[in-house]
Amino acid sequence: MYRYCLLLAVVLLWSGRSCAQLGLTISVQFISDPSGLTLSGSGTAAATAAFGSVQAFGGTVPTGVTKSIGASNWKLSTPIDVLVQKGTLDVLSTSYTLTAALQAADLTNTWKLNSVTLSTTASTLTASGVYAATVVYTFSLTVPFSVAAGAINNTINFTVTAN
Amino acid sequence: MKNRTMSIRKLLVTMALLAAAFGFSVQSARATNSTGTVAVTATTVASVSLTFVTDVAGITLGGTGTSAATIAFGSVQAYGGSVPANVTKTVNGTTNWSLATPFDVVVQVANQTSSNYTLTAALASADATNTWALGATNLSTTAANLTSTGAYGSTSYTFKLTIPFSAAAGAISNTLNFTATAN
C-alpha cells in the first residue's frame, strides 16, 4: 500500500510538470483572418506574416493588407485571428490573459496590435479573454519615411495564461 | 509497538507526499500558460511620390491630391467672356492671348537618403500652334528640366497656355507628363 501511494505521488508530480508538453493545458493558435494577410503556419502556435516587398508610394501590397500614408511615415496593417483554448487541466479557469512582446527591440519602426504598442516588455492584450472564441487583432507596422529601405524582421512572442 | 510506530510514520509521509503532489498538480492546472509566436517579415523599397494639389491662388484641379490631375479652363475667349476663378487672362497686343494659373506640385520621398529631386515635364502630344509653359519653361514632347534641386514638399508652378489670334477657335487639350527623380 505504501509503495502504491508513493507511486501515485510520483505520477501526480510528473503529470503536473508535463501537462504543457502533453497538450493538456491552455493553447494558443494564430489563424489567417478572412479579411487579412494569409499567414504561413495558420492554425498553429508559430505563424508567419510575410508582407513581401512593399513601398510607401506606388507598388502593391498583399491581399488583406492595408497601406496608409502619413505625413512622415507609412503603415501596413492586417487583421490576425487569435484562438485560445483551455486544456483538460484548466477546468477551473474561466478566462485567460494574453500578452505580447517583440522578440527584438526596434527603435525605428512601430509595431502594434490594435492600439497596443509593442516592445520587448510584454504588454497585456486582454486580461479576460474568452476561451474558444476567435479574437481579431489588427497588427500594424509603421515605417518612417526617413528610414533607409531594407528588410524588416521581428517576432511577436505571445503568452497566454489561464486565469 | 515498533511496527505500529513505523506504520504511522509511513502513513504520515505518504499523506504528506500525496498532499504535496496534489497541491502541486492543482496549482499547475490553475496557472497553466502557453506561448506562441508570429514572425513578421517585410522588405521596404525606396519610393517617390508626385502629386498635384490645387494652389490657394489657382484654378481648382480635378483630381487634386493625386498624381493625375486635370486643369479645365472651360469655354474661354480672347476678348470678353469670363475665365474660371484664379485664372489670369492676358491679351498680348494683336498677336496672342494667354491663360495662366498656379498649381502645386508635391514631391515626397520615402526610405531613401535624398536631399532633393529633379523634376521634368513634357507634353504628351506635340502642339505646333499653341505655347505651353510652366514658369519660364516652354514645353514640348521632349522632357524639359523644371528643377534639378527641388526641395521635397510643395512647390507652386504657374501653368500658362498661349493661343495665337490666328488659330481657329476650338478645343485645346493636351497632357503634361511629369517625372520626379530623387537625387
Side-chain angles (χ1 to χ4, degrees):
Chain A
M1 178 65 181
Y2 173 67
R3 287 176 182 168
Y4 289 126
C5 288
L6 279 178
L7 181 61
L8 178 59
V10 169
V11 167
L12 280 173
L13 285 167
W14 171 82
S15 65
R17 287 183 181 280
S18 61
C19 281
Q21 297 166 10
L22 293 175
L24 298 176
T25 56
I26 194 170
S27 66
V28 61
Q29 55 183 295
F30 309 102
I31 303 167
S32 298
D33 186 89
S35 302
L37 175 68
T38 299
L39 300 179
S40 170
S42 177
T44 73
T48 299
F51 289 96
S53 183
V54 286
Q55 60 191 69
F57 304 116
T60 59
V61 293
T63 302
V65 174
T66 301
K67 180 174 71 174
S68 54
I69 305 294
S72 61
N73 55 42
W74 56 294
K75 182 171 71 176
L76 298 170
S77 59
T78 188
I80 294 173
D81 293 352
V82 178
L83 177 61
V84 176
Q85 291 178 311
K86 63 179 176 182
T88 309
L89 295 178
D90 299 313
V91 288
L92 299 178
S93 173
T94 56
S95 64
Y96 65 84
T97 295
L98 179 65
T99 67
L102 288 181
Q103 184 166 296
D106 188 341
L107 301 177
T108 304
N109 309 298
T110 302
W111 302 68
K112 281 188 175 183
L113 281 167
N114 290 347
S115 60
V116 178
T117 301
L118 303 179
S119 68
T120 52
T121 302
S123 299
T124 298
L125 301 179
T126 178
S128 56
V130 177
Y131 287 113
T134 300
V135 179
V136 180
Y137 287 91
T138 298
F139 166 75
S140 68
L141 170 63
T142 302
V143 182
F145 288 155
S146 57
V147 177
I152 298 176
N153 301 308
N154 213 331
T155 298
I156 304 172
N157 293 323
F158 292 81
T159 299
V160 60
T161 305
N163 297 327
Chain B
M1 183 64 181
K2 185 176 181 182
N3 286 340
R4 183 177 176 81
T5 303
M6 283 296 290
S7 294
I8 293 174
R9 184 179 298 166
K10 284 181 178 178
L11 181 61
L12 289 173
V13 169
T14 302
M15 289 177 65
L17 278 170
L18 283 172
F22 180 75
F24 184 84
S25 299
V26 169
Q27 187 175 7
S28 297
R30 294 183 64 182
T32 60
N33 62 54
S34 183
T35 60
T37 61
V38 174
V40 179
T41 65
T43 302
T44 59
V45 178
S47 57
V48 174
S49 168
L50 170 61
T51 56
F52 307 102
V53 176
T54 300
D55 187 272
V56 291
I59 191 172
T60 299
L61 300 182
T64 184
T66 73
S67 59
T70 302
I71 294 175
F73 288 113
S75 182
V76 287
Q77 59 194 63
Y79 302 116
S82 62
V83 293
N86 296 320
V87 172
T88 301
K89 181 174 72 174
T90 304
V91 176
N92 302 305
T94 57
T95 308
N96 56 45
W97 58 294
S98 64
L99 299 169
T101 188
F103 67 96
D104 296 345
V105 176
V106 180
V107 180
Q108 292 176 285
V109 67
N111 309 117
Q112 180 177 357
T113 302
S114 169
S115 54
N116 54 42
Y117 64 86
T118 296
L119 182 65
T120 66
L123 290 178
S125 303
D127 188 340
T129 304
N130 308 297
T131 302
W132 303 69
L134 282 168
T137 304
N138 286 342
L139 303 179
S140 69
T141 53
T142 301
N145 197 52
L146 299 179
T147 178
S148 296
T149 57
Y152 288 106
S154 179
T155 303
S156 177
Y157 284 89
T158 297
F159 169 71
K160 185 177 178 182
L161 172 63
T162 302
I163 304 162
F165 285 149
S166 58
I172 299 174
S173 62
N174 213 329
T175 299
L176 281 60
N177 293 321
F178 290 80
T179 300
T181 306
N183 297 323

